[in-house]
Amino acid sequence: MEKRVVAEVSKRLEQEYGSGFDKTSISRMIKFYQEFPDFEKVATLSQQLTWSHFVEILPIQDELKRDFYAAMCMQENWSVRTLRERKKSMLYERTAISKKPEETIKNEIAELRDDGKMSLDLFYRDPYIHDTK
């Protein structure tokens, strides 16, 4: 059912507005809405991240991990290529913050995103996980 609705919406939007509304794009837009329901957070992130950043972040299942990469992109001005490299090198898993309680992680990511304050736990890396480069 959902696939048919997406196909129909895609068809109508493309007829009215042109390209850019294919089924894949519409599906990404729906996933974006589902994964980033907090308007204030999206408003903050969207001022500095491109749609390509969000497309790269959307497949991340873990909300904390997704928020970490989004906040780091914003604060460190990562390109999409840098974001891909950091994800591939498992940067989140290598930070000390990833071993902390969920509430601590949420608070530190919020401080990074909202105030630009990077805690030591976001900065320090696990010495037992080596870069792939």
Side-chain angles (χ1 to χ4, degrees):
M1 173 73 169
E2 184 180 322
K3 287 183 181 184
R4 282 190 280 149
V5 171
V6 168
E8 182 60 30
V9 168
S10 169
K11 181 179 168 186
R12 288 183 183 185
L13 287 172
E14 283 190 321
Q15 286 173 345
E16 189 158 337
Y17 300 106
S19 64
F21 295 98
D22 58 49
K23 290 182 278 186
T24 302
S25 295
I26 298 296
S27 295
R28 282 187 181 136
M29 292 174 199
I30 292 168
K31 182 155 177 75
F32 177 82
Y33 176 77
Q34 292 169 336
E35 299 298 333
F36 290 95
D38 183 347
F39 177 77
E40 289 180 21
K41 186 189 296 184
V42 170
T44 301
L45 291 172
S46 65
Q47 291 176 13
Q48 299 194 359
L49 301 183
T50 66
W51 179 245
S52 296
H53 283 97
F54 285 111
V55 167
E56 191 66 33
I57 292 168
L58 279 173
I60 300 171
Q61 297 295 315
D62 182 309
E63 180 182 0
L64 294 173
K65 189 174 173 180
R66 191 173 49 243
D67 286 349
F68 167 82
Y69 283 112
M72 290 297 288
C73 282
M74 190 178 87
Q75 290 301 319
E76 299 294 314
N77 296 317
W78 288 352
S79 66
V80 175
R81 176 180 287 166
T82 301
L83 169 59
R84 282 188 197 116
E85 290 170 359
R86 299 299 191 271
K87 281 177 44 186
K88 186 177 178 182
S89 73
M90 298 175 55
L91 177 63
Y92 175 76
E93 290 81 0
R94 292 185 299 123
T95 61
I97 190 74
S98 69
K99 316 296 189 276
K100 300 287 183 179
E102 185 174 316
E103 199 58 37
T104 302
I105 298 170
K106 283 181 183 179
N107 291 337
E108 291 194 21
I109 290 173
E111 274 190 1
L112 175 64
R113 182 185 61 244
D114 301 337
D115 303 326
K117 294 181 182 174
M118 185 178 293
S119 72
L120 291 176
D121 288 334
L122 286 167
F123 180 76
Y124 286 121
R125 310 287 186 258
D126 186 338
Y128 295 106
I129 300 177
H130 300 287
D131 281 331
T132 55
K133 284 189 171 184

